[in-house]
Amino acid sequence: MKALSSEAIRELGSDIELELGRLAHLQQTIQAAQKEVQRDPLHAELFYESLALKLHNFYTGCERIFRLIAMEMNGGLPAGADWHKRLLDRMSDERQGRPAVLSASTASALQEFLGFRHVVRSVYGYELDPERIAQLLSRYPDVWRALEQDLREFGAWLRAFADQLETVPDRDPP
């Protein structure tokens, strides 16, 4: 792990909290769009492109957090064409003095959202499969809750680590 000050650790925790707030807001907009689909099923297909973009944004927000952690704590991002997948994989492993950020089950569930994000970026909105979107939407609440819990636990570790650095500056990370 890179040598970090307690201030840098606390700043990283604040950045993660900010992104969690943005993801919580996104969760509310996903729920609102889903209610519109239920309210007006005849026009549901009009909402699927919007919902697909919101699911894309969900994973993009997750990856923004993972990038912050990798850059601040581990010195950089993975290289190569598959760096997105490798970054997600690294978040479920202990690395260089930091605990795993995600549980293995959360990381596994997020793989599907990473793959879908790639699809959204690669096709026209009208080409997206509504059944696939509906399938991801059905999984989304559980994945969001698991992600939020994992990141809150990681945030607690960051706070404890920063506290430890302030009281015993020469100690190795927990």
Side-chain angles (χ1 to χ4, degrees):
M1 180 167 50
K2 283 175 39 176
L4 294 168
S5 67
S6 61
E7 295 83 20
I9 300 259
R10 290 189 196 290
E11 193 66 30
L12 175 60
S14 294
D15 290 344
I16 292 169
E17 281 297 321
L18 179 65
E19 291 301 328
L20 276 172
R22 290 175 175 154
L23 286 170
H25 177 74
L26 178 65
Q27 190 260 350
Q28 293 170 353
T29 67
I30 288 172
Q31 285 180 334
Q34 285 180 295
K35 286 178 185 173
E36 287 301 313
V37 168
Q38 292 170 351
R39 187 185 67 74
D40 188 3
L42 292 176
H43 294 100
E45 70 182 58
L46 297 174
F47 292 98
Y48 279 117
E49 192 170 342
S50 171
L51 284 163
L53 182 59
K54 290 177 188 319
L55 292 171
H56 168 282
N57 290 344
F58 169 65
Y59 190 78
T60 299
C62 295
E63 191 170 88
R64 189 174 292 129
I65 293 169
F66 306 154
R67 288 172 58 114
L68 285 167
I69 294 166
M71 295 297 291
E72 293 297 321
M73 298 196 81
N74 301 116
L77 298 172
D82 66 341
W83 75 267
H84 298 276
K85 182 183 179 322
R86 290 175 49 221
L87 177 63
L88 177 56
D89 290 343
R90 288 179 182 184
M91 291 298 115
S92 64
D93 293 330
E94 288 185 28
R95 304 215 34 114
Q96 303 170 341
R98 69 148 172 85
V101 175
L102 303 173
S103 69
S105 62
T106 302
S108 177
L110 283 170
Q111 291 283 352
E112 194 170 13
F113 289 84
L114 169 60
F116 184 72
R117 183 187 69 170
H118 176 73
V119 170
V120 170
R121 289 181 174 189
S122 302
V123 303
Y124 290 104
Y126 64 83
E127 295 177 311
L128 293 166
D129 179 7
E131 289 181 22
R132 176 87 167 110
I133 296 167
Q135 180 184 50
L136 283 172
L137 286 168
S138 71
R139 293 186 180 129
Y140 166 77
D142 291 336
V143 175
W144 161 238
R145 278 191 292 276
L147 172 78
E148 184 178 29
Q149 178 181 338
D150 289 355
L151 290 174
R152 297 240 180 257
E153 289 173 9
F154 185 71
W157 178 83
L158 285 173
R159 287 187 296 280
F161 182 35
D163 290 346
Q164 181 184 18
L165 287 175
E166 288 172 352
T167 58
V168 186
D170 295 335
R171 271 185 88 179
D172 290 331

